[in-house]
């Protein structure tokens, strides 16, 4: 059963995620834009009005702000509201000490999106979506959750740069299979939707401050291809491989591993924690 008392590592994970957000957004605070005039990433602060973005699409700048109100109940709940020109266009209530972050993102095509994320009890149960103002309310246009909620316990997807119509992100995910992994992911807006620019991602070992060495803690079946039922080889306890790719395809997650003899294969991500796959896997809980 997964250890739930690793307080030190939990604190490290939270600190790393916080540092990543600070580094990515240190120069974005208080309504300052992050890069070229054609695009912008503006981080909002609670109760501070942003007045330079046209979120309604009428060619005029709008007044935007968000608030967080403690509901003072036994569930430690709070409610977050987003206002556009004084009217509530979004509302979310959560229990257990929720925390929210919001930013406005302007793409090269001129569209402005609301990036809203929330967690409870510091890092649990993340909700993260992109919204577009439409018909006096915010409409969800991209859900980051669907790539993680089945295969990972915690995750963070911080937008570090807006380039043209593409969002560049630093992602942290605690997969049930591998434990904590960092990698970069880009999504691009085209034909009215956001899509990932690739389905394959390289683990960011510099961010993780570790070597690409994974020692099997149990017998693991490795398959020939993504989604294949044909077994390429089986790792025995103590076998060492490299984990070179994270693949998200058809809303499923796979890990590409490589043996010392150069033979590659794929491990499908587990949907729940049922014991460590690798000795180096780190879990916070």
């Amino acid at each position: 059963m997964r250890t739930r008392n690793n307080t030190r590592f939990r604190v490290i994970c939270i600190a790393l995620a916080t540092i990543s957000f600070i580094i990515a957004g240190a120069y974005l605070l208080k309504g300052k834009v992050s890069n070229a005039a054609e695009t912008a990433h503006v981080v909002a602060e609670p109760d501070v009005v942003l007045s330079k973005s046209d979120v309604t699409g009428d060619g005029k700048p709008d007044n935007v702000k968000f608030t967080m109100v403690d509901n003072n109940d036994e569930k430690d709940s709070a409610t977050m509201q987003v206002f556009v020109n004084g009217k509530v266009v979004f509302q979310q209530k959560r229990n257990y000490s929720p925390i929210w972050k919001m930013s406005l993102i302007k793409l090269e095509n001129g569209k402005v999106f609301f990036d809203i994320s929330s967690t409870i009890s510091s890092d649990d149960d993340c909700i993260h979506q992109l919204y577009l103002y439409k018909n006096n309310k915010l409409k969800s246009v991209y859900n980051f959750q669907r790539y993680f909620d089945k295969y990972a316990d915690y995750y963070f997807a911080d937008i570090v740069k807006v380039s043209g119509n593409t969002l560049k992100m630093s992602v942290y995910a605690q997969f049930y299979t591998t434990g904590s992994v960092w990698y970069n992911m880009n999504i691009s807006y085209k034909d009215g939707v956001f899509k990932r620019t690739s389905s394959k991602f390289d683990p960011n070992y510099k961010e993780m401050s570790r070597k690409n060495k994974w020692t099997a803690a149990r017998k693991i079946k490795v398959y020939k291809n993504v989604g294949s039922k044909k077994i390429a080889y089986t790792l025995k306890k103590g076998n060492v491989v490299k984990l070179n790719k994270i693949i998200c395809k058809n809303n499923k997650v796979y890990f590409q591993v490589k043996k010392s003899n150069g033979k590659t294969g794929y491990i499908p991500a587990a949907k729940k924690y049922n014991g460590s796959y690798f000795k180096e896997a780190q879990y916070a809980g």
Side-chain angles (χ1 to χ4, degrees):
M1 184 174 181
R2 178 154 68 101
T3 302
R4 285 279 177 181
N5 61 1
N6 194 343
T7 304
R8 183 180 178 185
F9 184 71
R10 180 186 178 90
V11 171
I12 291 173
C13 280
I14 296 171
L16 286 173
T18 303
I19 290 170
S20 174
F21 180 79
I22 292 173
I23 292 174
Y27 57 102
L28 308 178
L29 296 177
K30 298 182 180 179
K32 295 181 181 179
V33 298
S34 64
N35 43 8
E38 293 80 8
T39 61
H41 184 186
V42 184
V43 176
E45 296 180 16
D47 302 310
V48 176
V49 177
L50 303 178
S51 58
K52 295 182 179 180
S53 299
D54 174 18
V55 301
T56 61
D58 64 358
K60 301 177 182 179
D62 299 292
N63 291 329
V64 178
K65 75 171 183 177
F66 82 96
T67 62
M68 296 183 291
V69 179
D70 190 344
N71 295 324
N72 296 316
D73 56 22
E74 61 182 14
K75 292 184 178 181
D76 293 323
S77 74
T79 300
M80 184 262 209
Q81 291 183 319
V82 178
F83 295 80
V84 173
N85 299 325
K87 296 181 179 179
V88 176
V89 297
F90 177 86
Q91 181 169 293
Q92 188 177 79
K93 178 182 177 181
R94 301 197 71 183
N95 299 328
Y96 311 118
S97 305
I99 299 172
W100 283 273
K101 294 178 183 178
M102 188 186 86
S103 61
L104 298 181
I105 296 166
K106 180 183 177 182
L107 301 183
E108 189 176 49
N109 61 20
K111 289 185 177 294
V112 178
F113 297 87
F114 291 73
D115 176 37
I116 301 175
S117 64
S118 68
T119 58
I120 59 174
S121 301
S122 297
D123 64 350
D124 291 342
D125 195 16
C126 185
I127 296 177
H128 188 184
Q129 298 184 47
L130 293 174
Y131 299 85
L132 184 65
Y133 179 92
K134 188 175 182 179
N135 297 327
N136 298 316
K137 62 181 180 180
L138 298 190
K139 176 185 177 183
S140 175
V141 294
Y142 192 84
N143 185 356
F144 292 96
Q145 284 175 273
R146 58 179 176 165
Y147 302 117
F148 303 99
D149 58 0
K150 292 181 180 178
Y151 304 105
D153 199 354
Y154 310 132
Y155 80 92
F156 307 93
D158 290 333
I159 298 170
V160 298
K161 187 176 181 181
V162 182
S163 179
N165 294 322
T166 298
L167 306 183
K168 298 185 176 183
M169 291 169 292
S170 175
V171 180
Y172 163 82
Q174 182 176 278
F175 290 108
Y176 299 123
T177 309
T178 62
S180 301
V181 176
W182 288 84
Y183 59 97
N184 297 323
M185 181 178 77
N186 299 339
I187 62 173
S188 187
Y189 189 79
K190 185 178 179 181
D191 298 328
V193 295
F194 278 102
K195 291 184 179 180
R196 290 167 298 171
T197 59
S198 174
S199 61
K200 298 180 181 180
F201 313 102
D202 297 323
N204 190 341
Y205 287 102
K206 289 184 178 180
E207 190 73 46
M208 291 186 277
S209 299
R210 56 163 298 168
K211 294 181 179 180
N212 187 1
K213 176 186 175 183
W214 300 79
T215 307
R218 57 197 281 186
K219 183 186 290 185
I220 305 173
K221 292 181 180 179
V222 182
Y223 297 86
K224 288 187 176 182
N225 294 295
V226 169
S228 172
K229 294 183 179 180
K230 294 183 179 180
I231 297 175
Y233 51 86
T234 300
L235 295 178
K236 296 180 181 180
K237 186 176 181 179
N239 287 167
V240 176
V241 294
K242 289 185 176 182
L243 196 161
N244 291 336
K245 297 287 182 183
I246 301 166
I247 297 100
C248 297
K249 189 174 182 180
N250 298 325
N251 289 332
K252 295 182 179 180
V253 177
Y254 304 85
F255 303 95
Q256 185 199 72
V257 295
K258 185 177 181 180
K259 296 177 71 175
S260 59
N261 63 6
K263 194 171 184 180
T264 61
Y266 299 86
I267 300 172
K271 290 185 178 181
K272 64 180 181 179
Y273 182 84
N274 57 0
S276 291
Y277 280 66
F278 299 98
K279 292 181 178 180
E280 294 80 7
Q282 294 176 312
Y283 299 93

